[in-house]
């Protein structure tokens, strides 16, 4: 947690205030402290700004998982199904730049007695769907094309077009910091001077995620579009500002 930091005198100033001068005729006396050196007087505060927006992108992880007796035949089937899934997404309006292979695996499969039982080929891709109104239908169509070997492993929402939201969050963060600084200046009998330093940090957006595990059959999803609710997402900015004090 960030804390408001009030200025402290430099070590030299503290020593100057504490040093004693010696007068031979009168004994030791406390010396008068010199003026605080320039640059040591100020106030440093943190400000926070947070605004809420609606996610504009859905990322889905989906693909196929195929079992077979021979590696070559199993891989060929998985490749064909994965191409169909990708083509289905493209048919639903997903651009080629928004489709990316995320995993390809070939594993030995085992039966319930722990004995080798053929091979399993898993191919996964990540799709970025920008039309949220049709995202549910697009996912349903892709999984339907993949048949019983299709998998929808999970989706997450993101907010890519957040420039305007970040601008509003910055305004709020600076206003928050300035209000705190003005109050500290009043409490200390001073007034705010010039801004000497501004340091910003933005919190990374946490994707809103939910998952679907296992395989989905053709008949189960053909007439049932995946329900999609984007919800909301926060954009936050924190800023540290230092003012001089008059």
């Amino acid at each position: 947690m960030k804390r408001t930091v009030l200025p402290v005198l430099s070590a030299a100033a503290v020593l100057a205030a504490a040093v004693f001068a010696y007068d031979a005729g009168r004994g030791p006396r406390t010396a008068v402290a010199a003026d605080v050196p320039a640059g040591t007087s100020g106030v440093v505060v943190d400000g926070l700004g947070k605004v809420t927006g609606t996610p504009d992108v859905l990322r889905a992880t989906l693909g196929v998982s195929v079992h077979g007796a021979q590696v070559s035949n199993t891989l060929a089937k998985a490749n064909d199904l994965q191409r169909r899934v990708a083509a289905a997404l493209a048919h639903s309006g997903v651009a080629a730049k928004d489709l990316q292979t995320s995993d390809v695996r070939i594993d030995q499969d085992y039966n319930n007695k722990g004995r080798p039982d053929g091979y399993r080929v898993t191919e996964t891709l990540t799709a970025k769907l920008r039309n949220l109104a049709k995202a549910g239908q697009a996912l349903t169509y892709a999984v339907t094309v993949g048949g019983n070997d299709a998998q929808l492993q999970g989706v997450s929402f993101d907010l890519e077009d957040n420039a305007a939201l970040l601008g509003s969050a910055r305004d709020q963060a600076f206003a928050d910091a300035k209000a705190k600084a003005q109050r500290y200046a009043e409490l200390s009998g001073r007034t705010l001077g010039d801004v000497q330093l501004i340091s910003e940090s933005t919190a990374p957006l946490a994707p809103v995620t939910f998952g679907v595990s296992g395989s989905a059959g053709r008949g189960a999803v053909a007439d049932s579009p995946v329900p999609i609710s984007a919800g909301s997402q926060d954009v936050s900015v924190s800023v540290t500002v230092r003012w001089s004090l008059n």
Side-chain angles (χ1 to χ4, degrees):
M1 178 182 294
K2 293 184 177 178
R3 297 181 179 178
T4 300
V5 180
L6 294 178
V8 296
L9 297 180
S10 65
V14 174
L15 291 174
V19 76
F20 288 91
Y22 182 81
D23 188 319
R26 299 177 183 175
R29 63 180 176 83
T30 304
V32 178
D35 290 338
V36 177
T40 62
S41 178
V43 59
V44 181
V45 294
D46 293 336
L48 176 65
K50 183 165 63 175
V51 295
T52 301
T54 301
D56 52 15
V57 168
L58 181 146
R59 288 184 173 86
T61 302
L62 69 167
V64 296
S65 181
V66 180
H67 170 83
Q70 297 180 338
V71 171
S72 58
N73 293 341
T74 307
L75 179 60
K77 181 180 179 181
N79 291 343
D80 179 61
L81 288 176
Q82 186 73 323
R83 280 191 289 265
R84 293 184 187 184
V85 170
L89 290 169
H91 179 76
S92 298
V94 180
K97 67 176 182 178
D98 291 332
L99 290 174
Q100 184 178 51
T101 299
S102 53
D103 189 29
V104 177
R105 296 185 56 180
I106 301 176
D107 298 305
Q108 177 79 63
D109 237 355
Y110 297 89
N111 60 23
N112 54 10
K113 296 182 179 180
R115 296 174 181 173
D117 183 27
Y119 300 89
R120 180 164 297 278
V121 176
T122 303
E123 298 187 9
T124 307
L125 61 81
T126 300
K128 186 185 295 185
L129 287 74
R130 301 179 183 276
N131 189 340
L132 298 188
K134 296 183 178 180
Q137 293 178 350
L139 292 177
T140 297
Y141 180 43
V143 173
T144 300
V145 168
N148 291 332
D149 295 313
Q151 290 187 326
L152 175 57
Q153 297 180 5
V155 302
S156 63
F157 289 99
D158 201 0
L159 210 169
E160 285 196 344
D161 186 12
N162 63 354
L165 295 174
L166 279 173
S168 298
R170 287 189 178 99
D171 293 345
Q172 290 185 17
F174 188 85
D176 182 39
K178 187 174 183 179
K180 294 175 182 176
Q182 286 177 330
R183 182 55 180 160
Y184 283 120
E186 293 171 1
L187 290 171
S188 60
R190 311 281 286 277
T191 59
L192 283 184
D194 296 331
V195 172
Q196 298 176 329
L197 174 71
I198 300 176
S199 177
E200 176 193 279
S201 63
T202 57
L205 291 176
V208 182
T209 307
F210 64 89
V212 180
S213 60
S215 301
R218 179 186 302 269
V221 298
D223 299 318
S224 179
V226 176
I228 298 296
S229 299
S232 63
Q233 204 163 6
D234 291 335
V235 175
S236 62
V237 171
S238 60
V239 63
T240 301
V241 187
R242 183 174 69 209
W243 278 270
S244 63
L245 290 176
N246 297 325

